[in-house]
Amino acid sequence: MSLDQVRSIADAVLYEGYLLYPYRASSHKNRSRWQFGVLGPPHAAAASFGEEPEMETQCLLAPHDGPAAVTVHLRFLQLQVREVRGTGEDGVDVPVGQLVVDGVPVMSWDEAVEREVVLPALPLGEPADAVHEVPGGEDTEPVTDARGAVVGRIVRRRLPLAVRVRTRAVVDDGYVRLSVTVRNEHPEPVVTKDAAIRSSLIGAHLLLRAHDAEFVSLLEPPAGAAAAAGRCRQRRCWPVLAGPKGATDTLLGAPIILYDYPEVAEQSPGALFDSTEIDEILTLRVMTMTEEEKAEARATDPRAREIIDRCDGMSPADLQRLHGLLRDPHPPEPAATAGPAADVRDVTPAAFDTAGAPWWDPAADASVRPGSDAVVIDGVRVAKDSLVRVHPSRRADAQDLFFAGRVARVTAVLSDVDGGTHIALVLVDDPASDLHDWYGRYFYFAPDELRPLSAEETAQHREENRS
């Protein structure tokens, strides 16, 4: 399998938090970037707020008959300071925050350069420990106007980095537990926040490829590997199987918690860099930006410019694709076929379940009637307008404490798509109960948190309410 299939996921991790909506340098939240996977310099002063310099992941492999080995790919971003320089009154160029050329702003900003350190085919039986140098550098780009005259310069600077990668392996219950440790070895002390991030590894993560061996899922290990999987320890790095579902030769060690075989939604047209992004919401928000705000975003970073241009160029059909894809929570078992089976979990918005009605729309399913459905609690039928006493036990919300012992009226009995039952309530003695009922703002409890009132108690409460 080509690593290109996994790199799309790894890139989403690499650039997570690179630049947040509204993608402008003036935005306060974009003055504190690089949220995940930052390995800071080891000699950082407390005032620099430098991150820890090290991460480590442990994973399990099942060797085959041949000489087992692992290729380690360490990927990260190296910060690059983009400084815009203009010509001062004395004819000497000086740093400026912004240079306007033919009405278009060019701004100073911190960019990043992708880096990858590869340790090819390390035998599992042989530990490795080496420091890898990542060069710094300085590049200059002239800024010209429409006539071709040079009106300024863009200077990009990168500090050199040094990173140590260590691997070691031990046998555990017939499996091999591989440890990969990554440490920032920047030799110099740093005292400021800017100096710390400029000498950090940003978005650091691992891609591991197994040779003559296969990785074992730590999230769902086979029974024989459960104990060994439980002994694996992680520090700032989370290992999951990656690639096509069922593949066991590639592992992603990410600075965020993922599930096995993570995927980028096929409906997503491109990265938005915003933590736990929801493409449709962010795209709509970009579309509400003023032209002045969009111009600043375009001047902030080339990747921000791509986002603004992509959102501005979206057709109604493109936007509709972002609205989501319904996935049946109870897919039927695929029938046995001679060829590969389709992914039965993907259904279109018009798809129906095996009973012939949309599982997601109660109004279209005659078997679902929240206003008349009932549930039996302590041998008593409870339905709409039944009176119950509330005894919260799940502590789903701090408000539950205020409901203890109170009498409530049932407004509906509902079932979720997983087969759970939820009872909607309004408090009898709440002066706003009628208003809550009108708005449909109910409190929800499980059947085992409720006790039906007896016929006598119910009659008494109804009489008190009439008076």
Side-chain angles (χ1 to χ4, degrees), residues 72-86:
V72 177
H73 297 254
L74 168 64
R75 305 177 78 234
F76 56 92
L77 296 177
Q78 179 183 25
L79 188 138
Q80 176 171 265
V81 177
R82 184 184 76 212
E83 181 183 78
V84 176
R85 302 181 70 90

Side-chain angles (χ1 to χ4, degrees), residues 342-375:
D343 186 351
V344 296
R345 295 170 306 157
D346 292 344
V347 295
T348 65
F352 290 81
D353 64 15
T354 54
W359 61 264
W360 44 268
D361 186 2
D365 187 351
S367 66
V368 176
R369 297 181 295 273
S372 59
D373 285 346
V375 63

Side-chain angles (χ1 to χ4, degrees), residues 119-333:
L119 285 66
L122 301 172
L124 287 183
E126 300 176 17
D129 187 343
V131 175
H132 304 266
E133 304 291 339
V134 180
E138 179 174 315
D139 306 314
T140 301
E141 173 189 345
V143 177
T144 59
D145 62 16
R147 298 170 299 171
V150 176
V151 296
R153 293 190 301 147
I154 298 175
V155 180
R156 293 179 170 88
R157 298 187 182 91
R158 301 169 299 281
L159 289 180
L161 302 175
V163 54
R164 180 183 297 274
V165 182
R166 298 193 304 270
T167 66
R168 65 186 187 280
V170 297
V171 177
D172 188 342
D173 275 357
Y175 295 89
V176 175
R177 183 170 70 245
L178 173 68
S179 301
V180 182
T181 305
V182 179
R183 180 177 176 83
N184 186 342
E185 294 286 357
H186 187 73
E188 300 171 4
V190 297
V191 295
T192 67
K193 184 178 179 181
D194 286 344
I197 195 63
R198 288 171 185 172
S199 52
S200 294
L201 281 65
I202 300 168
H205 62 277
L206 294 163
L207 288 178
L208 307 182
R209 294 291 303 273
H211 310 282
D212 286 314
E214 57 187 59
F215 290 105
V216 174
S217 171
L218 299 186
L219 299 179
E220 299 182 73
R231 287 188 284 271
C232 290
R233 296 292 178 263
Q234 317 302 331
R235 184 154 62 93
R236 307 184 71 206
C237 193
W238 184 257
V240 295
L241 299 178
K245 285 182 172 59
T248 56
D249 64 341
T250 306
L251 184 136
L252 168 63
I256 57 176
I257 294 177
L258 298 170
Y259 46 84
D260 283 336
Y261 307 113
E263 298 175 281
V264 173
E266 62 178 325
Q267 294 82 12
S268 179
L272 291 164
F273 309 135
D274 214 309
S275 305
T276 60
E277 63 193 44
I278 301 175
D279 287 31
E280 182 181 28
I281 292 175
L282 285 176
T283 299
L284 290 172
R285 292 178 72 177
V286 169
M287 290 177 171
T288 67
M289 293 167 64
T290 65
E291 291 305 315
E292 291 78 12
E293 291 170 334
K294 291 178 180 179
E296 183 189 344
R298 288 186 173 99
T300 294
D301 190 273
R303 293 184 173 89
R305 185 185 307 120
E306 291 175 8
I307 292 173
I308 302 299
D309 292 345
R310 185 174 70 238
C311 292
D312 276 358
M314 272 191 165
S315 68
D318 293 332
L319 191 60
Q320 179 62 32
R321 276 174 53 82
L322 298 184
H323 198 55
L325 179 72
L326 294 175
R327 295 181 183 272
D328 192 339
H330 302 299
E333 291 294 328

Side-chain angles (χ1 to χ4, degrees), residues 77-137:
L77 296 177
Q78 179 183 25
L79 188 138
Q80 176 171 265
V81 177
R82 184 184 76 212
E83 181 183 78
V84 176
R85 302 181 70 90
T87 304
E89 295 180 358
D90 55 1
V92 179
D93 65 343
V94 294
V96 295
Q98 175 176 291
L99 189 65
V100 179
V101 183
D102 297 326
V104 178
V106 181
M107 301 180 67
S108 295
W109 184 246
D110 283 350
E111 302 172 332
V113 181
E114 293 182 22
R115 299 299 186 199
E116 184 166 343
V117 175
V118 182
L119 285 66
L122 301 172
L124 287 183
E126 300 176 17
D129 187 343
V131 175
H132 304 266
E133 304 291 339
V134 180

Side-chain angles (χ1 to χ4, degrees), residues 315-456:
S315 68
D318 293 332
L319 191 60
Q320 179 62 32
R321 276 174 53 82
L322 298 184
H323 198 55
L325 179 72
L326 294 175
R327 295 181 183 272
D328 192 339
H330 302 299
E333 291 294 328
T337 61
D343 186 351
V344 296
R345 295 170 306 157
D346 292 344
V347 295
T348 65
F352 290 81
D353 64 15
T354 54
W359 61 264
W360 44 268
D361 186 2
D365 187 351
S367 66
V368 176
R369 297 181 295 273
S372 59
D373 285 346
V375 63
V376 176
I377 305 176
D378 295 338
V380 178
R381 182 180 184 275
V382 173
K384 183 178 179 179
D385 291 329
S386 295
L387 297 185
V388 295
R389 196 173 298 276
V390 184
H391 298 283
S393 60
R394 305 190 180 191
R395 296 292 185 264
D397 191 296
Q399 271 195 128
D400 286 359
L401 297 173
F402 301 102
F403 283 74
R406 306 279 291 277
V407 174
R409 176 172 56 83
V410 174
T411 60
V413 175
L414 305 105
S415 299
D416 60 31
V417 295
D418 294 318
T421 300
H422 309 273
I423 300 179
L425 308 171
V426 292
L427 294 178
V428 168
D429 59 357
D430 185 348
S433 61
D434 290 342
L435 189 60
H436 290 321
D437 205 1
W438 184 75
Y439 274 116
R441 293 177 179 171
Y442 305 128
F443 302 101
Y444 297 89
F445 291 87
D448 60 9
E449 296 181 290
L450 307 176
R451 183 181 66 80
L453 266 62
S454 65
E456 294 78 10

